[in-house]
């Protein structure tokens, strides 16, 4: 197949509530979508960058420039383009994994729509629904936190992840554990601590958490291994895991005993599957992370989370966890704490043109077919 057109969209979606992490508060989701055409067949991809380089070095505007200036021209020059080739074609460009992942996803969507195959089937899914967890942002107070968590448990979420930071860690976890008892509970620090906090973080041990996610900085693999030895709570890496190779290194070092897989962070869904495979080969359970995706990225995450090694519920929440109006025609809903994995061709969801238009800030043809 040949890349015949490509479009870049900037979208601004209001969030149902502000989402606060140790790296800041988001009041809306500003994001980038890509639409490609392969021999005239449309495919959609979502870029998971944030507006600022606070979770990873990538950010929306940099991703747009990278896609426009380097990635799309290289893909357009390929005579035979398939998702499996995207990684190789783009390998000469360092980093920019989220930008690459968005394009690989769009190509894959188009390719699979032509083939009549679902993304879940393509990746090797073994489930038709996935258990759903929820990521709970830092709240203004403990009573507000308990109300928020109560709402998610009432909705049926099967696992709760609390965002933590220095000053918002032991007490919120204690309060949630005391109020809700034996729920599946974990925490995510988004790199907010240093190894000097090891004794403090060990105070979380008494709460029987599933895991502590990314306590230290991205590059601190050895220090995560040191920390892991001083905690009973399993350490799970997110930001640090940028490829299957890094996952293998982190496991070998003892820096991580569970892995959060986000396709954007590792350069695409095919590399995400390789991370899954490396973890499975080492007996390391994985779960699917999230980046406040619209229905497009969410659909792809559901397919990924249906692979056999996804042993824990992920941040695979329903669309209404973040958005009142998603941009797909059938938003993801919770059913008995689970989300159905799309079974139709490609992503298996349809973009709602009207809903998309309502949140689109700009839309630009980056490449149009030259005959
Ligand atoms: O660390 O998992 C994270 C959102 C943005 C950036 C980083 C993270 C998150 C979340 C939200 O925790 C997960 C979701 O999309 O539900
Ligand atoms: Mg995280």
């Amino acid at each position: 197949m040949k890349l015949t057109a490509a479009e870049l969209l900037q979208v601004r979606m209001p969030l149902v509530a502000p989402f606060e992490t140790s790296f800041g508060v988001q009041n809306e989701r500003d994001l980038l979508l890509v639409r490609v055409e392969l021999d005239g067949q449309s495919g959609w991809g979502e870029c998971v960058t944030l507006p600022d380089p606070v979770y990873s070095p990538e950010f929306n505007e940099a991703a747009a420039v990278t896609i426009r200036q380097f990635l799309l021209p290289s893909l357009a020059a390929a005579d035979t383009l398939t998702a499996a080739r995207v990684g190789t074609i783009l390998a000469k460009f360092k980093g920019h994994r989220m930008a690459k992942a968005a394009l690989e996803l769009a190509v894959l969507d188009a390719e699979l729509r032509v083939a009549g195959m679902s993304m879940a089937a393509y990746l090797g899914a073994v489930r038709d629904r996935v258990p759903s967890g929820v990521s709970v942002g830092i709240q203004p107070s403990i009573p507000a936190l308990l109300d928020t968590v109560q709402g998610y448990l009432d909705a049926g979420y099967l696992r709760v992840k609390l965002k933590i930071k220095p000053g918002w860690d032991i007490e919120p976890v204690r309060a949630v554990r005391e109020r809700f008892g034996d729920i599946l509970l974990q925490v995510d620090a988004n790199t907010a601590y240093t190894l000097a906090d090891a004794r403090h973080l060990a105070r979380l041990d008494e709460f029987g958490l599933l895991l502590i996610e990314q306590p230290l900085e991205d590059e601190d693999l050895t220090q995560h291994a040191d920390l892991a030895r001083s905690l009973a709570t399993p350490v799970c890496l997110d930001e640090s895991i940028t490829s299957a190779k890094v996952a293998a290194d982190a496991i070998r070092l003892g820096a991580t005993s569970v892995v959060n897989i986000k396709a954007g962070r590792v350069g695409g869904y095919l590399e995400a599957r390789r991370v899954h495979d490396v973890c499975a080969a080492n007996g390391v359970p994985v779960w699917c992370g999230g980046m406040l995706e619209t229905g497009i990225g969410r659909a792809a995450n559901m397919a990924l989370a249906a692979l056999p090694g996804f042993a824990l519920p992920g941040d695979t929440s329903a669309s209404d966890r973040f958005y009142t109006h998603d941009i797909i025609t059938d938003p993801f809903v919770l059913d008995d704490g689970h989300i159905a994995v799309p079974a139709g061709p490609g992503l298996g969801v349809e973009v709602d043109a009207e809903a998309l238009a309502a949140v689109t800030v700009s839309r630009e043809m980056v490449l149009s077919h030259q005959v």
Side-chain angles (χ1 to χ4, degrees):
M1 301 177 91
K2 180 99 182 118
L3 184 66
T4 49
E7 226 186 330
L8 207 48
L9 293 85
Q10 281 179 47
V11 165
R12 173 168 290 181
M13 312 252 296
L15 292 175
V16 294
F19 184 64
E20 181 171 350
T21 64
S22 60
F23 56 74
V25 190
Q26 283 174 277
N27 291 296
E28 65 242 318
R29 179 66 168 117
D30 278 297
L31 68 119
L32 216 54
L33 297 175
V34 291
R35 191 183 65 82
V36 302
E37 288 179 24
L38 288 197
D39 299 341
Q41 168 67 58
S42 243
W44 285 94
E46 177 163 347
C47 184
V48 300
T49 46
L50 300 178
D52 305 318
V54 288
Y55 164 80
S56 81
E58 293 187 79
F59 59 101
N60 291 340
E61 279 193 56
V65 170
T66 305
I67 287 171
R68 231 185 260 123
Q69 197 167 332
F70 303 107
L71 308 185
L72 273 174
S74 286
L75 294 183
D79 287 326
T80 318
L81 185 61
T82 61
R85 291 185 183 204
V86 169
T88 312
I89 296 169
L90 302 181
K92 65 183 172 201
F93 302 116
K94 306 281 187 182
H96 298 283
R97 292 182 172 87
M98 294 174 177
K100 291 174 178 176
L103 287 172
E104 186 201 75
L105 181 59
V107 169
L108 182 58
D109 183 34
E111 179 184 335
L112 293 179
R113 282 177 195 269
V114 169
M117 181 187 274
S118 71
M119 185 165 168
Y122 176 87
L123 290 177
V126 295
R127 290 182 264 270
D128 59 10
R129 59 176 208 159
V130 295
S132 196
V134 62
S135 174
V136 181
I138 291 162
Q139 302 291 312
S141 66
I142 298 233
L145 171 68
L146 294 175
D147 280 356
T148 301
V149 171
Q150 181 75 63
Y152 291 131
L153 293 174
D154 291 346
Y157 284 103
L158 298 172
R159 183 229 69 188
V160 171
K161 158 171 140 180
L162 303 181
K163 290 290 191 181
I164 59 168
K165 65 175 182 181
W168 180 264
D169 45 27
I170 314 296
E171 292 319 314
V173 170
R174 183 194 308 284
V176 168
R177 196 43 113 202
E178 279 178 2
R179 169 74 76 89
F180 302 108
D182 202 17
I183 60 169
L184 297 181
L185 187 63
Q186 63 193 53
V187 293
D188 184 1
N190 289 111
T191 76
Y193 297 89
T194 72
L195 195 50
D197 298 310
R199 273 148 65 86
H200 176 70
L201 292 174
R203 294 178 61 202
L204 291 169
D205 283 349
E206 66 170 293
F207 303 113
L209 301 177
L210 285 169
L211 55 90
I212 178 170
E213 185 178 344
Q214 197 71 41
L216 314 178
E217 278 183 23
D218 307 24
E219 288 86 4
D220 290 348
L221 287 188
T222 307
Q223 294 193 31
H224 273 106
D226 290 345
L227 178 65
R229 277 189 289 275
S230 68
L231 300 182
T233 308
V235 171
C236 168
L237 293 179
D238 171 358
E239 283 89 331
S240 293
I241 307 296
T242 51
S243 69
K245 276 187 202 168
V246 172
D249 285 351
I251 292 167
R252 160 110 172 252
L253 280 169
T256 197
S257 52
V258 186
V259 170
N260 167 337
I261 301 187
K262 292 180 185 169
R265 198 190 62 223
V266 301
Y269 284 85
L270 296 183
E271 183 71 4
R273 183 172 57 183
R274 290 189 280 271
V275 175
H276 162 274
D277 293 349
V278 160
C279 291
N282 285 279
V284 168
V286 302
W287 54 279
C288 184
M291 293 292 288
L292 299 90
E293 284 89 347
T294 73
I296 293 172
R298 202 162 291 276
N301 285 347
M302 299 307 164
L304 180 67
L307 296 190
F310 285 76
L312 295 167
D315 288 342
T316 43
S317 310
S319 295
D320 70 2
R321 152 75 187 90
F322 291 114
Y323 307 113
T324 315
H325 298 289
D326 204 338
I327 56 171
I328 53 171
T329 54
D330 292 300
F332 288 96
V333 290
L334 267 192
D335 179 6
D336 188 26
H338 290 70
I339 307 250
V341 178
L347 288 169
V349 293
E350 302 307 322
V351 169
D352 179 336
E354 219 173 284
L356 176 60
V359 292
T360 299
V361 176
S362 75
R363 192 165 179 156
E364 162 202 3
M365 285 307 287
V366 181
L367 191 83
S368 41
H369 190 37
Q370 319 265 308
V371 186

